[in-house]
Structures are given as structure tokens and as C-alpha cells.
Amino acid sequence: MRRLLRAPGPDSLWRNRDFNLLWGSQALSGLGSSMSSLAYPLVILVLTHNAVLAGAVGTAAMIAKTAVRLPVGVLVDRVNRRRMMLGCDAIRLVAFAGLTVSLLLGYGNVLAILVVAVLESVCAAAFDTGAMSAVRNLVPLDQVPTAVARDEARTYAVGLVGPPIGGAVFGLGRALPFLADAISYLVSLVGLLLIRRPMQEKATPADTDTSPLHDLLEGLRYTVTTPFLRAAMLIAAPLNFAINGMLFGIIILLQRNGTPPVLIGTVETIVGIGGLIGAIAASSLMRRFRFPVLLRGITLIGVPLMLAALPLASSPLAAAPIALVILLGPPLNAGLFGHLAVITPDRLLGRVNSAFMTAAMGLAALAPVLAGILAEHFGAAGVVLAFTAAFAVSTVVALTAKGIREMGPLTTNETGDTETGETGPGATETGESRESEESGLGGAGGTETDESGAGGAGHRPGTGEAG
């Protein structure tokens, strides 16, 4: 017999010891990372007085994280996820402790900071992919969207409080933000050691006898041939591109208009508050609306909100309508990664997560460059209209994608295995999650949880990982 997945209770995750340990570990390490990320360019400026070098370190770290995203997805699916995550924390602990000591002794230099920044980015890519893939093994499948919503709230909260704390700590001593980050990884490591449940299903011999290249191609094939994931990428990529570009363009326009830096800084604050409110409200929205309704509504509302920034482009208030768009992002993220976790076999989760994030965020890397060109040659109108047009691409896909139109509710059989219909590419015969060939969501996904239409939807950046 089949039954609909129950809607998760709003407070149930607070009683889940293992999930809370993982969530708390990520919160502390995220806080430490936000502090050290602010400190990198500040320390380099103090040591060299060279703004180009200060920016180059951050760029190198971003390139490194992007370059390893697909390979670490393969790693996450081939090794013990807990041990890999522990190793990532241990490496970062040693790296930041060493950098702290070198700065205190006066031996700190740009090369040392660059090495630590790159190591941190590579380990972050592996750790984050492992954590995303582990969640479905720590919480019931129908609670994964709620778990992702809590992760979104954590990310936005850390983004709001981390940089100010990091700046204050840096004022007390240039090595202190890195010491704080080292301590955060120590605490995170302890938290991971205390988690009791396994973070992945037991691998079969067939899962470990293949080459890394075979595994990489298998993950890519599953991602692009699964209707939900294919539609999700087609929505998430232009959406993230549009929002990142709009925010960067607003900052450039404000600088060109002579807006004081303090006021320019309020743009990030406004956006962060919008994301945090959206993350807090995500669970409620997911219970009230079916995913296709939520997705289409958000992408339709986003177009006029993006356009509303045009008359405000000379003021920090231009960030307000963008913050409203980002406020709607965490529910999309929650549904997306919740549905992804349900339909993807556990043995493929690392590869699917990394492939999806690479596709969703790859285009966004070009947004700052285009924003600068548009602001220089076409002013506010060029920036707003161009990135609104990009956002509208996501809207069109959300309204027309066959997978979204025909998406049905997830069900479970009496043993608790999740079903969605036909067997999808890469699925096994062990009762792992499947997705119907007729299913598919865009840019943000969701799990429909009951016949009354409660559901989740989500997308990670244009909102956060639009960031």
C-alpha cells in the first residue's frame, strides 16, 4: 500500500540530536569562516599595502572551490562521509592554527595566507557537499526540506553577524580572526564525532569497483537526464545570475553616484535581513502551498520586484525590492534540496549535489563582470533591464516545464521506502528513492506532502548561494 508523505512538524527537528550536532557544527565553522574571510584582505593590505594582492587571494580561493566541486562529489560518494568531513575539519584546524602562530611571530606573508585560503576553500567544498548528502540519513526524508530551511536560516544569520564580529576581533589583533576560525573547526570536529547515525547507506561492491571517471560521468548523466534536476538547473542558473548581477550592479551604481561607503554597506545588510526572514518563514510557506504553485508565484512576483529597483537605483533603497526577491529564496532552496534528496539514490547524492551546484552557480560568476560593463555604458536602466530579462528566463521555464506541470506527490510504501513512479536513471533495485520520468521541477524544487496542497520549494542562491 502507498501513502502520502506526512508533513513534518515545525519543531520536530529540534529534538533530533544528530541533526542538531551537524547543524551546530556548521554554524560555528561558518561563523569562523565569515570572520577569516573578512580578515584575509585586511591582513594582506596591512602587510603589502597592495589592493590587487588582497583581491587576488579571494579570487584564487573561489577558483579553487569551483574547480574541485565536481571531483569532491565523486569523493563524497566513494569514501566514508563522516571520516572525510572530519579530515576536512582537521586540515582546516591545523592550517588556521599555523597561520595564527606565523602572524603572531611576525612570519606571516601573502603566500602563507594564499595557501590557507585555498586549502580552506577546497575543504569547504568537500565538507559542504558531504553535509548536504548526509542530511537525508540523519532526518526522515519528509523532514529534509525543513532541515534545509534551518540551514538557510543559519547561513543568513552567520552572514549578518560574522563580518561585524570579525572586524571587531581584527581590531584587537590581526591574528585573532584566524585563531577564532581554528577554534570553530575544533568544536565542529568534536560535534561530528558525537553524531551516532551513519551518514550514508552501506555501499555495495558494485559501487566501489568503478573508476572515478566512470563515477563522475554517471553522476552527470543522472543529473541531466532526470527531469526534475534538469528543469531545476534551467531555473536556478539564470535566477542566480540575475540576482548576483543586480546586487553587484547596484553597488557599482551607488559608488559612481558618490554614495558614502557606510550607506553602500547597508545593501548587504538589507539583503541579509530579507534572506533571514525568508528562511524563518520557509517551513510555513512549504506547508501552505504546493511546490509548483509556490515556484510559479515566486518567479512571477520576482520580475516586477526586479524592475522596481530602477527608480531607486541611486539610493541604497534599491536593495529593498531585491531583498524581497531573496526573501522568497529560502523556501525554494528548502524544497529543491529536499526533493533532490528524496529522488536521488544515496550512492549518487554527492555527485548530484556537486553537479547541480556547479551548474546553478557557474553562470553567476560572470554576473559581476557584466554588471560592471552595463553600469559603465548603459547606467541604471541597462543593469536593471538586462538582469530582469535574465530573471524572466527562469519564470518562463517555471511556467512551461513539463516536469513541473506533471509533478505528482511523493509517496511511501509500508516499509518506508520513497517512491515517485517510474524508475529513473541511475536508480537501483534496493528501495532507494526514485523519480518518475514525468516528474521535474525547476530552479527550486519541492516535496508535495499531502493532498491538501502543502508542499515545499526552493533554490539556494538567487537567495543565498546566489551566494
Side-chain angles (χ1 to χ4, degrees):
M1 178 182 294
R2 292 154 65 107
R3 63 178 184 273
L4 292 170
L5 287 173
R6 63 181 175 82
D11 298 321
S12 55
L13 286 179
W14 294 107
R15 298 191 295 271
N16 187 322
R17 174 185 179 276
D18 290 332
F19 173 76
N20 286 326
L21 283 170
L22 177 62
W23 187 89
S25 296
Q26 290 181 287
L28 288 172
S29 60
L31 179 62
S33 295
S34 67
M35 295 168 63
S36 61
S37 295
L38 177 73
Y40 285 139
L42 296 180
V43 169
I44 293 173
L45 285 172
V46 169
L47 294 176
T48 68
H49 304 287
N50 189 321
V52 174
L53 285 177
V57 169
T59 300
M62 291 176 60
I63 292 174
K65 189 171 186 177
T66 302
V68 303
R69 199 184 289 274
L70 287 176
V72 299
V74 175
L75 181 67
V76 166
D77 289 336
R78 289 179 69 91
V79 303
N80 183 289
R81 289 173 187 162
R82 185 202 307 271
R83 292 174 185 169
M84 183 207 68
M85 293 164 67
L86 287 169
C88 290
D89 274 350
I91 291 172
R92 290 184 286 186
L93 168 60
V94 172
F96 280 103
L99 180 59
T100 299
V101 172
S102 68
L103 288 171
L104 289 174
L105 296 178
Y107 296 115
N109 54 58
V110 175
L111 179 60
I113 295 171
L114 174 63
V115 170
V116 171
V118 170
L119 275 176
E120 197 278 333
S121 291
V122 171
C123 289
F127 185 99
D128 293 345
T129 303
M132 290 170 63
S133 303
V135 167
R136 68 167 270 167
N137 295 289
L138 301 181
V139 306
L141 287 177
D142 57 351
Q143 291 184 7
V144 173
T146 306
V148 176
R150 272 189 55 183
D151 285 344
E152 291 283 307
R154 180 200 70 226
T155 299
Y156 281 107
V158 166
L160 282 171
V161 305
I165 294 175
V169 172
F170 184 84
L172 299 176
R174 68 182 66 168
L176 293 184
F178 304 111
L179 174 61
D181 206 4
I183 294 172
S184 76
Y185 289 123
L186 175 61
V187 177
S188 174
L189 193 151
V190 173
L192 290 175
L193 287 171
L194 294 175
I195 294 175
R196 297 169 181 166
R197 299 180 193 175
M199 293 186 178
Q200 64 203 107
E201 296 173 3
K202 186 175 181 180
T204 64
D207 296 333
T208 57
D209 290 344
T210 54
S211 69
L213 178 60
H214 172 276
D215 289 354
L216 175 61
L217 295 176
E218 181 186 25
L220 292 174
R221 182 170 60 251
Y222 182 90
T223 304
V224 299
T225 58
T226 301
F228 164 77
L229 297 173
R230 184 171 60 246
M233 290 187 292
L234 290 175
I235 294 178
L239 192 150
N240 283 320
F241 172 77
I243 293 180
N244 277 284
M246 185 72 87
L247 288 174
F248 197 85
I250 289 172
I251 291 173
I252 292 176
L253 291 169
L254 292 176
Q255 288 175 328
R256 286 166 57 87
N257 290 333
T259 305
V262 173
L263 290 180
I264 294 177
T266 62
V267 170
E268 293 289 345
T269 302
I270 292 171
V271 168
I273 292 173
L276 180 59
I277 294 173
I280 294 172
S283 294
S284 177
L285 287 172
M286 287 188 293
R287 288 195 298 273
R288 283 176 169 79
F289 300 100
R290 295 175 61 247
F291 173 73
V293 174
L294 192 60
L295 171 63
R296 290 167 182 154
I298 288 173
T299 53
L300 282 170
I301 293 171
V303 172
L305 285 175
M306 296 279 282
L307 289 173
L310 181 55
L312 303 171
S314 61
S315 162
L317 291 177
I322 310 305
L324 291 176
V325 177
I326 291 177
L327 183 151
L328 301 172
L332 292 181
N333 252 353
L336 164 63
F337 288 99
H339 199 76
L340 183 154
V342 170
I343 67 172
T344 305
D346 185 73
R347 67 183 185 84
L348 290 170
L349 265 178
R351 284 164 282 174
V352 170
N353 275 320
S354 62
F356 179 85
M357 290 305 300
T358 299
M361 297 308 302
L363 190 61
L366 302 176
V369 175
L370 180 59
I373 295 173
L374 291 170
E376 179 69 25
H377 296 286
F378 302 101
V383 171
V384 173
L385 293 178
F387 289 113
T388 299
F391 191 100
V393 173
S394 297
T395 305
V396 172
V397 177
L399 293 173
T400 60
K402 178 181 178 182
I404 298 175
R405 294 198 313 269
E406 300 182 356
M407 183 182 177
L410 296 172
T411 61
T412 58
N413 58 32
E414 288 303 325
T415 63
D417 295 331
T418 305
E419 301 176 347
T420 57
E422 301 174 13
T423 302
T428 68
E429 299 302 321
T430 60
E432 292 169 318
S433 304
R434 317 284 206 274
E435 178 181 30
S436 168
E437 287 297 327
E438 299 302 319
S439 171
L441 286 131
T447 359
E448 298 185 358
T449 54
D450 60 36
E451 296 191 51
S452 66
H459 137 77
R460 172 160 291 220
T463 77
E465 256 225 42

